[in-house]
Amino acid sequence: MARRILAFFLMGYLFFQSWTNAFALHPLAPPHVVFGVASSLAFGIYVIIRGGRFRTGVYGREDICLFILILVLTFAAFMNPRGIDSIKYISAYVYTFTLVFIVIKGALYNSVSTKKIFDWLIIGVVFTALTSILELMIDYNFGVDIGEYFYRGREIIATYNSIPRSVAFATEPGILAFYLETLGLVAIWAIWNRSWALSSKAFCISVIVGGWIAAFSAGSIAALLVGGVVAIGIKVFRSQSMLSKGSIILISPFCIAGIFLLAGYAGDTFLGPIISKLSLEGGSARGRVTRWMEGLTQIAENPFVGEGPGTASARGEASNISWYIFLTVESGIVGLFPIIVFLLSKIYKACTSSVPGKYIFIISLCAGIAHLSVISTFFHPFLWTLIIIFEVINSRQKH
């Protein structure tokens, strides 16, 4: 019974991954957080019932880096106290890297089959992407924003060339794209490998791609290009050949994307605003660069332990819109180092694994890591859940 209850909460957690804003009980308690906390508590009860016994093969030595990061942040807060703001930010890190990553990773590994994990991931991704497409079509054709009925807590207005950008259940279009470029891409791979009719596969994959396009996110395009280039580079390095069928399949989408992007330079095209952002010439892109430079200046002033977590909030300032810069401002190079080691270790583990479809995981992983360089909301679970799913599969394959 305890295992079934745990599995129920975990399936809810996977399904509601993208619901970062819609139907939230509180701004700090969207559905995925509620199910995440419930899953963690249920796993604790499950372990107690089993006399403290559970399988630990899914954990790696590099996971210690997350605890080191939290310790560094705590020390930085002690050195530069920001009152309640320090407590809020440290709590966000503790939640993200202990409850979300460490605990839920163990819970999934011990209680949910790989097939069930992919079943609910696919259902959640397709449902979100379909909502994204419907949101765009209904708003564009009828002027009705269905998001008003999602109890988002705040009005979200975003357009691309006068076309409404989809948000679905997320906080903003870029977060929706972040979700689909990471977990959505893995869902596409899982769908393709299902024993479904080709028409069913084509429909679901088209929905996911369409939902991603409807967000019109330049940051997501750039992140996927980075992920693709890294995966291709690893493929070349490991195989010493680009002529295999797998390599051609891997390269093709990124060649097509490159052609479209280059075509955008030919004139004032539909892709103009995206090209402008990617080249850092657009208004919002220039604003990002300005904040990045301000962050680098702050880092130069306090390079080692930073200015303390919650600094920007305490001063009433906006974030640097780059988690890596933001983290270094708050905790210095000492705080940035463990997360870099952690992320590089995960890339290395993916590269050296024999997990089926590992290059899809590498693209998604590198895209997610790259995307965090243009947003500060590290607490959204997509990248961390992607790593969890990969490590559960990898560990089960080994053991």
Side-chain angles (χ1 to χ4, degrees):
M1 178 61 74
R3 182 170 181 171
R4 289 181 180 179
I5 294 173
L6 172 58
F8 168 78
F9 286 130
L10 288 170
M11 295 306 95
Y13 178 72
L14 290 174
F15 177 81
F16 288 111
Q17 283 282 294
S18 70
W19 298 45
T20 60
N21 193 37
F23 300 102
L25 298 176
H26 182 273
L28 298 177
H32 73 85
V33 171
V34 173
F35 276 90
V37 172
S39 297
S40 299
L41 294 174
F43 183 55
I45 295 171
Y46 171 77
V47 172
I48 291 171
I49 292 174
R50 289 176 54 86
R53 293 178 290 105
F54 65 99
R55 292 176 295 161
T56 60
V58 73
Y59 297 111
R61 287 176 294 182
E62 68 277 4
D63 292 344
I64 296 173
C65 292
L66 300 179
F67 295 102
I68 294 174
L69 171 61
I70 293 171
L71 288 174
V72 171
L73 284 163
T74 304
F75 177 75
F78 177 78
M79 296 296 294
N80 299 283
R82 305 295 178 186
I84 191 64
D85 293 295
S86 291
I87 295 173
K88 287 180 179 178
Y89 276 81
I90 292 176
S91 298
Y93 280 99
V94 170
Y95 166 76
T96 303
F97 293 130
T98 56
L99 291 184
V100 168
F101 188 79
I102 298 297
V103 178
I104 288 181
K105 180 162 70 167
L108 279 173
Y109 185 60
N110 280 271
S111 63
V112 183
S113 69
T114 301
K115 182 182 181 302
K116 284 292 185 182
I117 290 174
F118 280 121
D119 284 347
W120 284 97
L121 178 66
I122 290 170
I123 292 170
V125 167
V126 171
F127 185 72
T128 296
L130 186 59
T131 302
S132 173
I133 293 171
L134 291 175
E135 181 181 12
L136 170 60
M137 293 176 64
I138 293 172
D139 198 352
Y140 183 72
N141 289 291
F142 305 104
V144 176
D145 180 13
I146 63 173
E148 293 179 359
Y149 303 97
F150 293 168
Y151 301 98
R152 288 174 175 157
R154 66 184 181 87
E155 185 178 16
I156 302 172
I157 300 176
T159 60
Y160 177 85
N161 277 350
S162 300
I163 299 174
R165 296 173 64 189
S166 291
V167 179
F169 308 109
T171 315
E172 47 116 339
I175 301 303
L176 170 63
F178 185 19
Y179 168 70
L180 292 174
E181 84 199 21
T182 49
L183 296 177
L185 191 56
V186 172
I188 288 175
W189 170 79
I191 290 168
W192 185 253
N193 285 280
R194 289 295 169 97
S195 56
W196 296 353
L198 183 60
S199 58
S200 298
K201 292 181 181 181
F203 172 77
C204 290
I205 291 173
S206 298
V207 166
I208 295 172
V209 174
W212 174 75
I213 292 173
F216 294 103
S217 172
S220 185
I221 292 174
L224 279 171
L225 287 174
V226 168
V229 168
V230 172
I232 290 168
I234 292 170
K235 179 75 172 175
V236 173
F237 179 78
R238 293 182 65 83
S239 67
Q240 301 298 317
S241 171
M242 290 293 288
L243 301 178
S244 68
K245 182 180 178 180
S247 297
I248 293 172
I249 293 174
L250 188 66
I251 293 170
S252 296
F254 300 99
C255 291
I256 294 170
I259 291 170
F260 274 106
L261 291 176
L262 289 174
Y265 282 107
D268 186 15
T269 68
F270 180 74
L271 295 175
I274 286 179
I275 298 297
S276 178
K277 283 189 176 182
L278 291 176
S279 59
L280 301 180
E281 294 178 355
S284 62
R286 285 197 297 269
R288 269 191 167 89
V289 173
T290 299
R291 293 190 187 180
W292 293 344
M293 297 307 296
E294 291 173 352
L296 293 175
T297 300
Q298 290 176 285
I299 292 170
E301 294 173 353
N302 296 278
F304 296 109
V305 294
E307 299 182 353
T311 294
S313 179
R315 294 175 178 172
E317 300 173 353
S319 76
N320 303 107
I321 320 184
S322 170
W323 181 47
Y324 306 112
I325 294 177
F326 187 68
L327 176 62
T328 311
V329 167
E330 292 191 329
S331 61
I333 298 172
V334 178
L336 179 66
F337 182 73
I339 202 66
I340 295 299
V341 171
F342 172 81
L343 293 173
L344 290 178
S345 297
K346 298 307 182 185
I347 294 174
Y348 176 78
K349 185 177 286 188
C351 293
T352 55
S353 75
S354 56
V355 167
K358 75 175 184 179
Y359 285 102
I360 297 298
F361 280 99
I362 291 172
I363 293 171
S364 301
L365 175 58
C366 292
I369 292 171
H371 205 132
L372 282 175
S373 67
V374 295
I375 60 174
S376 298
T377 49
F378 68 92
F379 45 82
H380 291 319
F382 324 135
L383 176 60
W384 318 121
T385 301
L386 172 69
I387 295 173
I388 288 172
I389 292 172
F390 165 77
E391 294 201 308
V392 167
I393 298 170
N394 189 42
S395 297
R396 286 175 176 168
Q397 191 174 60
K398 288 181 177 179
H399 301 96

